[in-house]
Amino acid sequence: MAPTTTPDTLATPTQNNLFRHARSEFIEEKFGLSDEATGLCPPGRNGKDGRSLSNTSIILGPRGTSLAPLAPAPGSFSSDLRNTNVTRIPAARPDLNAYMSRDDVHSYDNNATERKLAEYREKINKEIKIKIGSENLLEALISKSAKQTKDQRLRVESELSSSNRKIAELRLQLEEEIERAKRPTTPTQRRLSNLFGGSPLRSPLRIQENPDDGGQEIDPETESPTYILAEILQALEVEGEQSDYYVERANSLVELFKRYTTLKYDLAWSIFGLRVQTMLLSDSREVVAAGYRVTRHAIADRKSLQIIRGLHTDELVMLSLVKESKATIEREQALKFIRAFLDVTDGVSELSNAVVRTVVSVAEHYEDRLRNIAILTLTEILVRHPSLVITAGGIAPLTDALGEGTYSASESLVSAFLCMADSPQQRKLLTSGQELEAAFAPFTDPLGVHGHEERLKVNARSIAAILRTWPGLFTLAKKGFAPLRSLLLSLSHPVHFARDLVLDLLYDVLHIKPPSWTSSFLAGRRLTTYGRVTNLKGDSSEPGSISRGEHGTHRVNLVEHYTALVLAILIRCGLLKALSDLVEEASDISLKRKATLLLGEVLKLANHSLPSAVSAEIQRLPTLFDSASQEDAGDHWIATSLVYQIDSVNRTLHRSGAGRKSLAASALTNQENTGMPRSMDLARSKLSIDMDEIQFRSLLVESQVLNSVNYLKWKWDLINDLIEGPLLNPKRLDEAIKATKFLKRLIGFYRPFKYRFSDARNTKPNQRYVRIGCSLLRSLLQTAEGVQYLSESKLLRQLAECLAQLDRMSGLTSMAPHFSPQRLSETLTSGYFAMLGALSTDPQGLLIMGRWRMINMFYHIIDLKDRDDLIQLLLGNADFSLCRKSPTSHLIKGSNFYLEGTRSSLRTIRVFSTKLLRKYATTEPVGDSQSTASSVAYWAIRLLVTQLYDPQMEVSEVAVQILEEACNRMQYLEYVVKCRPALDHLGEIGAPLLLRFLSTSLGYQYLDGLDYITQEMDDWFLGRNEKYVILVEASLNRALSNQTERPKSTVEEPIQPPDFGMVPPHFYRELTRTSEGCKLLKESGHFGEFVSTIKDFWSEDGDPETILKVKGCLWAVGNIGSMELGAPFIEDSDVVSWIIKITEESQIITMRGTAFFVLGLISRSLHGMEILVEHGWDAATDHSGRSLGYCLPPVLENLFTITTQPPLQRESIAPASFQKNKAKGEDVNPVQTRILSLVIDLGNTVLTKRAAAELHSIRLKTPAVFSSVPLFRMIMSILECHTFRLPVRRFVIDLFDKDLLRQIVLEEESDEESEPSDSAL
């Protein structure tokens, strides 16, 4: 018998976390309700025997109700299953306040909060779309005549300003709702009394006894929960009441359990169990459902589950689940009761095979409304107790659901199968081992594609989930990756939707982000224009796999290493040929171009990620070039056109700088260009500075500035070219100032009190006025004539007056300040701060600002408590780099007022100011350390070190992240160490920065003096290595799953996006960066212990703790070997051969994956790469010959060779109780023997009809035989041991007398000769 497994014995903790995440995602998003969103409403009194004629639906609490946070009820799940009778009969509903229970209100309060947040986000997205559309429309209207489009433009601007206001209001409401949800609320006694029709601590019995107490409430401290429990149980003892009477008491009982969570541990089950049994035997579906609900809330531990099963709940649950769909509420609560077993530690072991088989029959019934929930339940049981599902025949419905594509949460289903595929003990439980291949089946059947597009999308998501995990790759590797080959061959089927979906799947699996011009390319437009190509830099850039600093600091991207392996597999399966054939055969132009673009991206990715020997072979495209070179061939011109298109796409990507190999260089270039004026960037002016006078005058006239004062008629593109070109020439500038009104009108347009620029709407097209204004000021500051003209103009004088309106020390006030919050958000007034920032980049500009006392006003504005928007605009646009390089009086004032921002009493301002320091702390160092002792980077680093001691942890965390990024450069790292920051108070937040200090000898000495190194080394050696494994696997799974992280706030963005998939910092890796660290590592003997652990336990496949320890040792060895100083440790120990042995022979698939990544880390160093080459492995290199860390074995099939074991038979998997029931076959008399034989025949589809007819005949002739308790028990044993469809189970149970179950449950039968089974029944 196979051992019972738990989640801890599965592949990795990360896979379990991934499955739990998929479970919660499915519950919350796919079914629409939260865990405890269902309450029971008693029926009305209009129907027969107390049943409601209105509905039996689930009733939720009123919107906005709030209760204290309570633990979720066991077994809770959410579904979109609503009673079909809700709208059929418009009868009067009972009063909700009288029947609402506490858990319903609390759960609905959580649901209401989630719904409100979702509504706010949906409204924000809608308004953003309206805003984008309005901006695009305005942009189109600008190119048309101003007179013709004036009214239309005003309407669009009005709509745009309205959208901006709504977005601001909605974001504020969203933030308030998020903060409100975080605050725990304690409801008042009176509010609960209103919800539940009385005091929540008073039983319904006492409420009836005191109906005229004047609404006085009893102090809850004086109430005894045990006394209330006794009263409720006594009330439930009354017989003959209507259904709502019992439902009301059951709701009060559930409320009591929710209020006093420890009460269920002290239940008197002899009394409580009898009341529950009575409710479960009721003829009213609502009462039965209430009984399941009360029992579910009474579950405390595994012992309580055993007591509950002793109440014959297994038979009752089976009876409820096989009922018809009109008993939805009863069946739903019964299924919730089953799911409650999963929330108890080892509770899944208490589930009987009979109950699981009933759930399987529900999952097999395609028309059942509870089918999806049954599939989810079986999936969770499969993870916790695989043998139970396999014995009950649950693999077949799960496989069918995976192949059909009707199960919306297919990723969770895939995760369950992948958990089983990781270890050999789990793999041998699967009978075929090819269950995951069902997801590929729809793509291979071209006739079944039409009309099932949504199902194909679900299957595509399942395939993507399979290809993102190591067990998935190994599962597909059987028979030479036959499923992948069939998927690529499906591209030859002339079904446009399926082809397009497969191409999207390949984009997703290979993590290829299409460039921004993809839509233009697919539409057939040319991509050779200058503007479209030069604008691609920001679009296609993505975080590179390597972040290199001056001292060689780099982080490896495990996702790209894994993607390289997947790419090699796909190429081996014929990816290039499939794409080439698709391009040649496809009749749809868009599909042809999409395949061409993918082919170009694949070639580029192969050139970057695969070893040169492999990539050079596939770059030739032998088949395609052979066809193109043969002029006599029929497809010569098609092949030639394809080669030309691929070459055109590659040249376009190369010119755009989007190639992956240049990511690191591009990042350095971008850092060097930080702070450069826009006119000095790559986009140079089209007009020459040395322009003659005649041409210059004609261009001034052509700009329309001299012809009209209406700025809407001006040609702003030409004005921008004039500013960035001829006006930089002092002669042309003097001419524009003295001989024409060009500059006067242009400056007048920007004057605040002209109300032209300052009243323009804050739209995306109008932002060009801000950019041109900043460019104008920078151009004027380049010449003496421009500086003089600027200092004498009214522009800066009026700006100073506008700032003085906010300065309480100036004496100037205004009823409508120019920089009011409304004007800053709706108009271009905020652009004035960008212009002031342009002035702060030049010493002359700072002098002009000092002349008008602007810097003094900045000091006073920083102290404003209610204008954080203004302070952020001021700090965000100012440039303080010049203030630290040339310390004059005005410059020192300019930098000192920034200190006021970092010391502001407002948390948001301190966080914002700290984030702004990033652009100064990460600038490219210039000169030696002595000449830059007072440079802007050092100034920013000193401020960041100060921010580490901020009382708000959020500020300190931001400072640590920026300092860690700044430490990528050796010069800055040493300076941070010289500042000697104390990080003990930050705990785990400051740990990454302390690890960076180990990269230098100076930092090593500093940490050694603090006794940090020895303590941290012992900590990592004794346990942190295992935690590191969990961190790496969680990060990798998160990166591969492509899950979008929901932001905690819509206002504040993180300083850097989460780097999921990157190798986290490791202590031993940082330690081996210095010779002192290597010496300490050698003396400690830790490396030898790691190697010994790998050699001794590499083949372990049973103990999860040992497997986790081996993985931790592998990561430690890999991080040490990735450093040049650590490579000698690898060479002396010959550990590489053992790691390669793990990748090829280990029976734990995730262990192989870990070893594969570790070999990639080792290949990062020169010595490590040489060692791998000696063993036949090869690694990809960049243009400089440095290894990228993407290594592959010489024979790819060796990596996926795994020993297959014969699957276990069901008899060997089944528990002993199951075997005992199956062996039972006692025959009492010939009639019963014939009945048992006919029941078995019902499982045969050929004999079902005849057997059912004969059983019905026996029921009519001898009805007394179906009142036999022993016969009922034997038939229940047959139902437990064999597979029957849901209607068959219902038919068999309906044959017996209704009172028979009451005799069994209440043990009223006189025949006691057969003892109850140890199993469910």
Side-chain angles (χ1 to χ4, degrees):
M1 181 176 65
T4 301
T5 58
T6 64
D8 296 333
T9 63
L10 295 177
T12 62
T14 307
Q15 290 183 344
N16 295 322
N17 294 336
L18 181 64
F19 180 81
R20 295 189 192 102
H21 176 75
R23 172 191 176 190
S24 62
E25 288 286 336
F26 175 73
I27 290 175
E28 295 179 5
E29 298 181 5
K30 302 300 181 184
F31 290 91
L33 298 177
S34 67
D35 282 351
E36 194 58 25
T38 57
L40 293 175
C41 175
R45 307 187 182 215
N46 302 327
K48 297 180 179 180
D49 58 26
R51 298 192 180 186
S52 172
L53 296 179
S54 60
N55 61 69
T56 57
S57 64
I58 296 169
I59 303 300
L60 302 179
R63 179 180 294 274
T65 55
S66 174
L67 292 177
L70 299 173
S76 300
F77 74 98
S78 64
S79 70
D80 54 359
L81 306 176
R82 300 178 178 84
N83 198 303
T84 56
N85 299 327
V86 171
T87 58
R88 290 183 182 177
I89 304 177
R93 294 173 180 260
D95 184 15
L96 299 185
N97 292 335
Y99 306 130
M100 185 63 60
S101 63
R102 173 185 300 272
D103 59 321
D104 302 326
V105 177
H106 172 65
S107 60
Y108 184 77
D109 180 61
N110 295 333
N111 293 334
T113 301
E114 291 296 330
R115 281 195 294 269
K116 286 182 180 179
L117 295 178
E119 289 174 1
Y120 285 138
R121 292 190 177 99
E122 184 178 357
K123 290 180 180 179
I124 290 175
N125 293 333
K126 180 180 179 181
E127 293 298 331
I128 289 176
K129 291 179 181 178
I130 295 176
K131 176 183 176 182
I132 294 174
S134 302
E135 290 175 347
N136 294 336
L137 181 57
L138 276 179
E139 215 168 324
L141 293 176
I142 287 176
S143 61
K144 298 182 180 180
S145 175
K147 291 184 179 180
Q148 298 176 359
T149 60
K150 181 179 179 180
D151 296 338
Q152 188 177 4
R153 187 169 59 252
L154 290 177
R155 288 197 302 270
V156 176
E157 289 180 350
S158 175
E159 182 68 26
L160 185 58
S161 60
S162 175
S163 297
N164 289 330
R165 282 197 304 270
K166 290 181 180 179
I167 290 173
E169 293 173 359
L170 289 172
R171 284 179 174 173
L172 181 60
Q173 294 174 4
L174 179 61
E175 290 298 317
E176 292 176 353
E177 184 66 23
I178 292 175
E179 293 297 329
R180 189 196 68 79
K182 293 180 180 178
R183 294 193 300 266
T185 57
T186 303
T188 61
Q189 187 80 7
R190 186 172 300 278
R191 185 179 182 185
L192 286 174
S193 301
N194 294 334
L195 287 174
F196 300 114
S199 172
L201 300 180
R202 299 169 63 191
S203 67
L205 182 62
R206 299 186 63 186
I207 295 175
Q208 290 180 354
E209 292 173 356
N210 302 280
D212 301 326
D213 58 357
Q216 297 180 358
E217 298 173 3
I218 301 177
D219 186 3
E221 295 184 0
T222 64
E223 287 289 318
S224 171
T226 55
Y227 182 73
I228 299 174
L229 175 64
E231 285 187 330
I232 297 176
L233 294 179
Q234 184 180 359
L236 289 174
E237 190 176 358
V238 179
E239 298 181 358
E241 297 290 339
Q242 294 290 340
S243 300
D244 60 346
Y245 174 86
Y246 300 103
V247 173
E248 203 173 320
R249 270 67 189 170
N251 284 341
S252 300
L253 192 56
V254 171
E255 171 195 335
L256 188 66
F257 285 142
K258 295 287 288 182
R259 182 72 174 178
Y260 301 99
T261 56
T262 59
L263 183 62
K264 56 189 176 183
Y265 292 94
D266 301 323
L267 287 176
W269 283 98
S270 58
I271 301 175
F272 180 81
L274 182 61
R275 301 294 177 269
V276 168
Q277 287 177 320
T278 304
M279 295 182 68
L280 295 179
L281 290 171
S282 174
D283 293 333
S284 173
R285 303 188 188 101
E286 291 78 15
V287 176
V288 176
Y292 283 124
R293 189 160 173 263
V294 170
T295 310
R296 173 163 54 91
H297 284 273
I299 294 175
D301 49 22
R302 185 173 179 179
K303 183 179 179 181
S304 64
L305 290 177
Q306 295 172 351
I307 296 175
I308 291 173
R309 288 191 61 202
L311 301 176
H312 300 278
T313 55
D314 288 348
E315 293 94 330
L316 295 169
V317 167
M318 293 175 59
L319 178 63
S320 297
L321 288 179
V322 300
K323 288 185 177 180
E324 297 180 354
S325 58
K326 60 184 179 181
T328 299
I329 187 171
E330 177 182 345
R331 301 177 71 233
E332 183 176 322
Q333 289 296 329
L335 196 52
K336 279 188 175 185
F337 173 71
I338 296 174
R339 291 179 58 81
F341 284 65
L342 305 179
D343 294 332
V344 178
T345 304
D346 295 332
V348 68
S349 301
E350 295 300 325
L351 284 174
S352 67
N353 185 75
V355 171
V356 177
R357 276 193 181 273
T358 308
V359 177
V360 170
S361 65
V362 175
E364 291 176 336
H365 197 56
Y366 293 96
E367 299 178 356
D368 200 302
R369 298 180 61 198
L370 295 180
R371 180 173 183 251
N372 284 344
I373 305 299
I375 292 174
L376 176 64
T377 305
L378 291 177
T379 303
E380 297 183 28
I381 299 175
L382 182 64
V383 174
R384 292 171 170 82
H385 200 327
S387 60
L388 184 59
V389 177
I390 295 173
T391 304
I395 295 296
L398 295 182
T399 306
D400 293 341
L402 184 62
E404 293 167 1
T406 56
Y407 185 63
S408 54
S410 59
E411 293 89 342
S412 63
L413 191 54
V414 169
S415 300
F417 281 116
L418 293 178
C419 285
M420 295 189 63
D422 184 62
S423 63
Q425 291 82 5
Q426 304 276 353
R427 284 196 298 271
K428 63 185 180 182
L429 297 179
L430 298 175
T431 55
S432 66
Q434 300 176 356
E435 288 76 13
L436 293 175
E437 296 181 9
F440 294 82
F443 290 94
T444 60
D445 183 14
L447 299 179
V449 172
H450 297 285
H452 301 87
E453 287 78 8
E454 292 300 324
R455 295 185 180 182
L456 276 182
K457 290 181 180 180
V458 174
N459 284 98
R461 294 203 307 267
S462 302
I463 294 174
I466 295 172
L467 291 174
R468 290 187 185 120
T469 60
W470 284 102
L473 286 183
F474 275 79
T475 303
L476 300 179
K478 299 177 182 178
K479 300 179 182 179
F481 294 98
L484 285 180
R485 296 180 185 274
S486 63
L487 180 67
L488 295 176
L489 287 176
S490 66
L491 290 174
S492 60
H493 299 160
V495 182
H496 179 272
F497 178 80
R499 284 176 164 181
D500 188 71
L501 193 59
V502 172
L503 293 180
D504 290 336
L505 174 62
L506 294 174
Y507 272 105
D508 184 23
V509 169
L510 296 176
H511 296 87
I512 297 175
K513 181 181 179 182
S516 61
W517 44 267
T518 299
S519 57
S520 300
F521 177 73
L522 297 181
R525 301 190 186 99
R526 298 183 62 187
L527 302 176
T528 56
T529 57
Y530 176 80
R532 187 175 290 121
V533 174
T534 55
N535 290 332
L536 297 178
K537 281 187 176 291
D539 298 336
S540 54
S541 61
E542 58 185 44
S545 60
I546 307 159
S547 176
R548 293 187 182 272
E550 190 177 88
H551 62 295
T553 301
H554 58 280
R555 298 181 65 184
V556 180
N557 193 332
L558 299 178
V559 176
E560 293 198 357
H561 193 187
Y562 184 83
T563 303
L565 177 62
V566 174
L567 177 61
I569 294 172
L570 290 174
I571 292 176
R572 184 67 60 88
C573 294
L575 173 63
L576 298 179
K577 185 179 185 303
L579 292 177
S580 301
D581 294 343
L582 177 60
V583 173
E584 295 178 5
E585 299 172 1
S587 58
D588 186 84
I589 300 298
S590 177
L591 186 65
K592 184 189 295 285
R593 283 178 166 260
K594 190 173 186 178
T596 303
L597 181 59
L598 177 59
L599 185 57
E601 292 280 3
V602 167
L603 294 177
K604 183 189 67 176
L605 182 61
N607 184 43
H608 165 72
S609 303
L610 299 182
S612 56
V614 180
S615 62
E617 180 66 23
I618 64 176
Q619 294 294 332
R620 297 189 302 108
L621 293 175
T623 306
L624 187 62
F625 276 95
D626 290 344
S627 300
S629 60
Q630 297 176 5
E631 298 183 1
D632 298 335
D635 55 352
H636 165 71
W637 296 111
I638 298 177
T640 304
S641 175
L642 176 58
V643 172
Y644 171 76
Q645 282 193 351
I646 295 175
D647 180 65
S648 177
V649 169
N650 287 333
R651 283 188 285 108
T652 303
L653 291 174
H654 178 72
R655 286 198 302 267
S656 67
R660 292 187 179 224
K661 279 195 172 185
S662 61
L663 284 174
S666 299
L668 295 177
T669 304
N670 292 337
Q671 291 180 356
E672 292 171 0
N673 293 336
T674 302
M676 291 180 62
R678 187 174 180 271
S679 60
M680 301 299 178
D681 208 348
L682 295 177
R684 301 293 181 180
S685 175
K686 298 180 181 179
L687 301 180
S688 173
I689 297 178
D690 301 327
M691 183 180 296
D692 57 26
E693 181 180 353
I694 298 177
Q695 187 179 2
F696 178 66
R697 284 180 177 271
S698 66
L699 290 176
L700 292 181
V701 174
E702 186 181 350
S703 66
Q704 300 297 322
V705 177
L706 301 179
N707 300 334
S708 174
V709 295
N710 187 358
Y711 69 93
L712 296 177
K713 297 182 179 180
W714 297 352
K715 296 183 178 180
W716 286 98
D717 293 336
L718 181 57
I719 294 173
N720 184 59
D721 292 337
L722 287 170
I723 291 173
E724 296 182 350
L727 289 183
L728 293 175
N729 189 333
K731 187 175 181 180
R732 300 281 83 83
L733 178 63
D734 185 68
E735 183 179 348
I737 294 174
K738 297 179 179 179
T740 66
K741 294 184 179 181
F742 177 81
L743 216 55
K744 179 181 179 181
R745 287 187 176 178
L746 197 57
I747 290 293
F749 165 72
Y750 287 101
R751 285 165 53 186
F753 298 131
K754 285 282 189 177
Y755 294 103
R756 302 169 70 187
F757 171 80
S758 58
D759 274 3
R761 295 294 182 181
N762 186 11
T763 62
K764 184 179 179 181
N766 287 349
Q767 288 297 321
R768 61 176 179 170
Y769 301 142
V770 179
R771 294 193 296 268
I772 294 175
C774 296
S775 180
L776 175 62
L777 295 182
R778 284 195 293 262
S779 297
L780 292 177
L781 292 174
Q782 301 299 318
T783 60
E785 292 81 359
V787 173
Q788 181 180 358
Y789 180 80
L790 190 59
S791 60
E792 295 175 355
S793 68
K794 296 181 181 180
L795 173 62
L796 297 182
R797 184 192 312 169
Q798 293 183 5
L799 278 178
E801 185 176 345
C802 294
L803 290 173
Q805 295 174 357
L806 304 172
D807 185 2
R808 298 172 182 175
M809 307 296 293
S810 66
L812 295 179
T813 58
S814 175
M815 296 297 294
H818 214 72
F819 292 138
S820 63
Q822 183 178 0
R823 289 184 60 85
L824 287 177
S825 61
E826 296 181 1
T827 67
L828 291 182
T829 307
S830 58
Y832 284 120
F833 291 94
M835 298 180 187
L836 293 176
L839 288 176
S840 65
T841 59
D842 190 273
Q844 295 296 331
L846 287 173
L847 290 174
I848 297 175
M849 294 170 63
R851 174 186 175 186
W852 296 107
R853 307 289 183 182
M854 291 186 184
I855 297 180
N856 292 337
M857 299 177 193
F858 292 163
Y859 274 100
H860 302 149
I861 292 175
I862 289 291
D863 294 334
L864 297 177
K865 305 298 183 183
D866 56 346
R867 292 304 306 274
D868 54 343
D869 58 333
L870 189 66
I871 298 173
Q872 291 184 10
L873 277 174
L874 184 59
L875 294 176
N877 289 281
D879 189 349
F880 299 94
S881 58
L882 190 63
C883 300
R884 305 309 307 169
K885 294 179 181 178
S886 304
T888 63
S889 58
H890 292 299
L891 304 183
I892 292 177
K893 287 183 179 180
S895 63
N896 288 340
F897 100 83
Y898 189 87
L899 298 177
E900 298 298 325
T902 59
R903 300 168 184 171
S904 174
S905 59
L906 300 176
R907 178 191 61 85
T908 55
I909 299 301
R910 297 202 307 275
V911 173
F912 182 79
S913 303
T914 306
K915 289 181 178 180
L916 287 179
L917 291 173
R918 179 174 178 267
K919 66 178 180 179
Y920 304 112
T922 58
T923 55
E924 179 74 14
V926 180
D928 55 14
S929 58
Q930 295 181 356
S931 62
T932 59
S934 59
S935 66
V936 59
Y938 288 0
W939 165 73
I941 288 174
R942 288 195 299 270
L943 285 180
L944 288 170
V945 171
T946 305
Q947 295 300 90
L948 293 175
Y949 310 106
D950 192 275
Q952 287 289 336
M953 192 61 67
E954 183 181 359
V955 179
S956 303
E957 186 175 359
V958 172
V960 168
Q961 293 177 5
I962 299 174
L963 286 174
E964 187 180 1
E965 184 179 357
C967 289
N968 286 334
R969 304 191 181 279
M970 176 67 70
Q971 184 174 331
Y972 295 161
L973 174 59
E974 293 180 350
Y975 187 78
V976 173
V977 175
K978 290 179 181 178
C979 293
R980 303 179 67 84
L983 302 175
D984 294 341
H985 65 287
L986 297 180
E988 292 294 330
I989 296 177
L993 187 57
L994 288 175
L995 286 181
R996 300 302 297 271
F997 289 176
L998 289 174
S999 302
T1000 64
S1001 298
L1002 182 63
Y1004 181 90
Q1005 297 172 4
Y1006 170 64
L1007 295 178
D1008 190 35
L1010 299 176
D1011 198 24
Y1012 166 83
I1013 299 177
T1014 55
Q1015 295 180 7
E1016 193 73 4
M1017 177 179 284
D1018 294 339
D1019 190 16
W1020 278 81
F1021 184 74
L1022 296 177
R1024 288 282 291 278
N1025 275 329
E1026 288 74 12
K1027 295 180 180 179
Y1028 184 86
V1029 174
I1030 300 175
L1031 175 63
V1032 172
E1033 293 183 353
S1035 175
L1036 182 61
N1037 282 334
R1038 182 62 181 273
L1040 290 174
S1041 61
N1042 288 336
Q1043 297 172 359
T1044 57
E1045 184 177 16
R1046 177 179 293 179
K1048 298 180 181 178
S1049 172
T1050 59
V1051 178
E1052 297 181 2
E1053 297 181 354
I1055 186 115
Q1056 285 182 333
D1059 51 355
F1060 297 121
M1062 306 293 289
V1063 177
H1066 198 284
F1067 173 79
Y1068 288 100
R1069 182 183 186 184
E1070 303 299 327
L1071 188 66
T1072 51
R1073 291 184 185 276
T1074 60
S1075 57
E1076 297 89 345
C1078 292
K1079 181 180 179 181
L1080 178 63
L1081 178 61
K1082 186 175 182 180
E1083 293 174 353
S1084 65
H1086 287 183
F1087 186 83
E1089 292 291 336
F1090 296 150
V1091 175
S1092 299
T1093 302
I1094 293 173
K1095 291 181 179 179
D1096 295 340
F1097 302 101
W1098 71 271
S1099 60
E1100 177 64 39
D1101 58 5
D1103 186 12
E1105 294 183 1
T1106 304
I1107 294 173
L1108 187 63
K1109 187 175 182 61
V1110 174
K1111 288 182 179 180
C1113 294
L1114 285 172
W1115 282 112
V1117 169
N1119 279 280
I1120 293 173
S1122 64
M1123 295 289 99
E1124 292 294 341
L1125 294 178
F1129 290 93
I1130 303 294
E1131 188 174 4
D1132 296 340
S1133 61
D1134 193 29
V1135 71
V1136 172
S1137 60
W1138 288 93
I1139 299 177
I1140 293 177
K1141 189 174 184 179
I1142 292 176
T1143 61
E1144 297 178 352
E1145 300 181 14
S1146 176
Q1147 294 300 309
I1148 303 296
I1149 295 178
T1150 52
M1151 179 83 78
R1152 289 194 178 192
T1154 301
F1156 179 78
F1157 288 132
V1158 168
L1159 290 177
L1161 283 177
I1162 294 176
S1163 69
R1164 302 291 307 168
S1165 63
L1166 181 60
H1167 288 82
M1169 186 175 178
E1170 293 176 353
I1171 296 174
L1172 286 175
V1173 171
E1174 293 177 358
H1175 287 81
W1177 285 58
D1178 198 1
T1181 58
D1182 59 9
H1183 59 279
S1184 301
R1186 294 177 300 187
S1187 172
L1188 297 175
Y1190 312 143
C1191 59
L1192 292 177
V1195 181
L1196 195 61
E1197 287 74 11
N1198 293 343
L1199 190 64
F1200 298 99
T1201 302
I1202 192 167
T1203 304
T1204 58
Q1205 299 180 0
L1208 296 179
Q1209 300 298 324
R1210 284 192 181 183
E1211 289 74 11
S1212 60
I1213 303 174
S1217 59
F1218 175 78
Q1219 300 288 351
K1220 180 179 178 181
N1221 286 338
K1222 189 173 182 180
K1224 289 173 62 176
E1226 302 175 1
D1227 299 339
V1228 180
N1229 55 54
V1231 176
Q1232 293 185 352
T1233 303
R1234 182 57 182 167
I1235 292 175
L1236 294 176
S1237 177
L1238 291 174
V1239 170
I1240 295 176
D1241 290 342
L1242 288 175
N1244 189 333
T1245 56
V1246 178
L1247 304 177
T1248 299
K1249 188 174 181 180
R1250 182 185 61 80
E1254 189 171 349
L1255 282 172
H1256 184 68
S1257 176
I1258 296 175
R1259 178 74 173 82
L1260 294 177
K1261 294 179 180 179
T1262 56
V1265 73
F1266 288 99
S1267 300
S1268 171
V1269 173
L1271 177 63
F1272 181 81
R1273 292 187 182 278
M1274 286 186 287
I1275 289 183
M1276 289 296 102
S1277 298
I1278 292 176
L1279 294 181
E1280 178 183 4
C1281 301
H1282 297 80
T1283 301
F1284 294 94
R1285 294 182 296 110
L1286 187 63
V1288 173
R1289 290 177 176 271
R1290 184 185 307 126
F1291 171 76
V1292 171
I1293 293 179
D1294 288 344
L1295 290 174
F1296 288 87
D1297 188 60
K1298 303 300 180 183
D1299 295 333
L1300 183 62
L1301 190 61
R1302 175 179 293 273
Q1303 298 178 17
I1304 296 176
V1305 173
L1306 299 180
E1307 298 180 353
E1308 296 176 352
E1309 71 275 10
S1310 58
D1311 187 5
E1312 298 292 343
E1313 58 186 10
S1314 60
E1315 297 180 359
S1317 172
D1318 293 336
S1319 69
L1321 305 176

